[in-house]
Amino acid sequence: MKVLVTGSNGFVGKNLLVRLREENITFSTFLRSDSISDLESKVKDCNFIVHLAGINRPKNESEFLEGNTDLTTNLADILQNNNLTTPVIYSSSVQAELDNSYGLSKRLAEEALNLLSENNGNLIYNYRLPNVFGKWCKPNYNSAVATFCYNTINDLPIQINNSEALINLVYIDDVVNEFISVIRSFQNSEKVESTEVQPVHQITVGNLVKQLALFKESKTSAVIERVGTDLTRALYSTYISYFKPSEFSYLLTKHEDPRGIFVEMLKTKDSGQFSFFSAHPGITRGGHYHHSKNEKFLVVKGKAKFGFRHIVTNEYYDLLTSGDKPQVVETVPGWSHDITNVGDDEMFVMLWANEIFDPETPDTIYHKV
């Protein structure tokens, strides 16, 4: 199996080539610097074509037809003239439905491939993609998401004409996964029922800009957005892909006293917060209880003794743990608790709490263990 990818230096092409390597699928590429004769030799030497090459930001509108329609027509002619029934994935656009120069050039390219299918029997997988976003998309080119991410990170102004305007988006990973799935289906002689990339996300321009601003703010507030699923996950991944190497890290506030240090790493909107602390030999931290708050401790270096006392029955319990044997220790509502460094070296402990600390309602009441 060998796949020819046209436009492989573009945004989608770069991401697709990475996945083809991961999937151990052999590929060749057709670049803008290549000639039509190069295209013909490469077409003859492949089993599948992913046609991504095209023009969307020309110096003059005539380039739309040259880069989109004419190139696709040449590809179709090469296949038909050589009696090659090689299947083709075509990266079209939802603008093919619109009456503009770019949309017309894409629509004519689709028609050339449809005619090839009728006359030569080639399987054509035509994807009318909405706005595609993700890593390596070029800012100030054809993606509002890329431009807004870049401008937000670099403190550049963002121009919004209509904050209520809706944008339909598909994430690059979903696009590439779909293309890989079609290639594998063909390889396994399976039928592909649909030529749509899912999910299609929808967001207003105003909400997109607000979301990116919250991503930026999280570095100073330590409050991370809900970046684990859906559109927010994809947007966050895209946003951080525009970091320069010098922006890969950022400092946290370190609180230090004679007992040791305490650092809050990350706060979430609905899953609590993460921090770590240290304690010098013989130091005890804690000595309080909670009504509802829950904490999970993990000693990563050193030796600790956890003490617990029930605030009503006075029942006492303690346990020893160390970084040599990772063990999560939980606090339980109504039990006062503390932790003592019983080793000879400084102790370091990871801590998760199920809620962000609120000094107005801390749910942390002093009670000696």
Side-chain angles (χ1 to χ4, degrees):
M1 181 71 170
K2 187 174 186 179
V3 177
L4 170 62
V5 181
T6 72
S8 56
N9 274 349
F11 160 47
V12 178
K14 289 177 182 176
N15 281 273
L16 178 60
L17 294 193
V18 170
R19 282 298 311 282
L20 289 172
R21 290 190 194 100
E22 293 171 0
E23 296 284 330
N24 294 315
I25 297 174
T26 304
F27 62 85
S28 60
T29 62
F30 176 79
L31 306 175
R32 188 171 297 182
S33 57
D34 292 329
S35 66
I36 296 302
S37 61
D38 293 328
L39 178 62
E40 182 164 14
S41 64
K42 292 180 180 185
V43 166
K44 291 178 179 179
D45 188 43
C46 75
N47 311 102
F48 201 105
I49 299 169
V50 181
H51 183 34
L52 305 174
I55 297 291
N56 49 28
R57 276 295 182 95
K59 293 180 180 178
N60 57 74
E61 291 195 352
S62 64
E63 293 180 46
F64 279 135
L65 289 176
E66 295 171 8
N68 296 329
T69 307
D70 294 350
L71 178 60
T72 306
T73 300
N74 284 328
L75 174 63
D77 289 344
I78 290 170
L79 288 165
Q80 182 159 339
N81 292 340
N82 289 279
N83 295 315
L84 298 172
T85 58
T86 313
V88 180
I89 288 177
Y90 179 51
S91 175
S92 186
S93 167
V94 290
Q95 291 202 42
E97 303 170 5
L98 303 180
D99 188 20
N100 58 48
S101 298
Y102 175 66
L104 175 62
S105 68
K106 283 292 191 179
R107 192 161 62 249
L108 291 173
E110 291 177 358
E111 291 174 3
L113 291 174
N114 289 337
L115 188 62
L116 171 70
S117 178
E118 292 174 9
N119 295 336
N120 206 50
N122 300 66
L123 291 172
I124 306 297
Y125 306 96
N126 183 53
Y127 285 85
R128 285 188 171 181
L129 299 174
N131 296 279
V132 185
F133 72 102
K135 65 181 183 299
W136 308 332
C137 189
K138 186 178 179 182
N140 301 305
Y141 189 62
N142 66 330
S143 167
V145 174
T147 302
F148 291 170
C149 285
Y150 181 84
N151 286 15
T152 299
I153 289 170
N154 293 284
D155 297 315
L156 298 173
I158 294 176
Q159 180 179 344
I160 302 176
N161 297 322
N162 179 6
S163 63
E164 297 302 314
L166 285 170
I167 308 177
N168 291 319
L169 301 167
V170 288
Y171 184 44
I172 185 61
D173 287 6
D174 296 323
V175 174
V176 171
N177 287 342
E178 172 69 17
F179 290 174
I180 293 292
S181 176
V182 171
I183 293 169
R184 287 299 192 197
S185 295
F186 171 76
Q187 194 175 26
N188 298 328
S189 301
E190 298 171 354
K191 186 178 180 181
V192 175
E193 299 293 339
S194 174
T195 53
E196 293 183 356
V197 176
Q198 295 291 334
V200 177
H201 304 284
Q202 194 172 72
I203 189 172
T204 66
V205 174
N207 285 337
L208 171 59
V209 172
K210 289 177 183 177
Q211 182 65 81
L212 299 179
L214 289 171
F215 291 159
K216 185 179 182 71
E217 185 182 312
S218 68
K219 273 193 175 183
T220 52
S221 69
V223 179
I224 191 71
E225 293 292 290
R226 297 177 177 89
V227 296
T229 57
D230 301 327
L231 177 59
T232 310
R233 172 182 178 269
L235 284 175
Y236 187 66
S237 176
T238 303
Y239 173 80
I240 62 176
S241 74
Y242 293 97
F243 283 178
K244 297 184 287 290
S246 60
E247 296 167 318
F248 287 1
S249 65
Y250 56 99
L251 293 173
L252 298 173
T253 301
K254 181 171 69 172
H255 305 278
E256 191 167 8
D257 60 31
R259 299 173 300 170
I261 64 172
F262 174 74
V263 177
E264 293 179 311
M265 176 187 172
L266 187 68
K267 301 174 183 179
T268 72
K269 293 193 170 182
D270 52 12
S271 299
Q273 69 176 63
F274 299 85
S275 55
F276 77 90
F277 63 87
S278 72
H280 298 297
I283 292 295
T284 297
R285 283 181 172 272
H288 56 246
Y289 65 87
H290 312 295
H291 288 293
S292 299
K293 184 188 293 185
N294 166 244
E295 297 166 323
K296 298 179 189 290
F297 295 86
L298 175 63
V299 176
V300 294
K301 182 178 182 294
K303 297 179 180 180
K305 185 184 82 169
F306 285 87
F308 297 90
R309 188 173 298 278
H310 196 284
I311 64 172
V312 174
T313 66
N314 208 37
E315 180 183 352
Y316 177 79
Y317 174 73
D318 63 33
L319 64 89
L320 297 174
T321 184
S322 75
D324 295 332
K325 186 178 180 181
Q327 181 179 12
V328 172
V329 180
E330 292 206 70
T331 66
V332 176
W335 286 77
S336 182
H337 50 271
D338 62 20
I339 176 174
T340 302
N341 182 352
V342 294
D344 297 325
D345 302 311
E346 189 174 16
M347 174 181 70
F348 287 89
V349 183
M350 292 177 58
L351 170 62
W352 171 83
N354 69 323
E355 58 188 52
I356 295 177
F357 180 77
D358 181 356
E360 298 297 321
T361 56
D363 190 15
T364 302
I365 302 93
Y366 173 76
H367 190 284
K368 187 174 177 61
V369 175

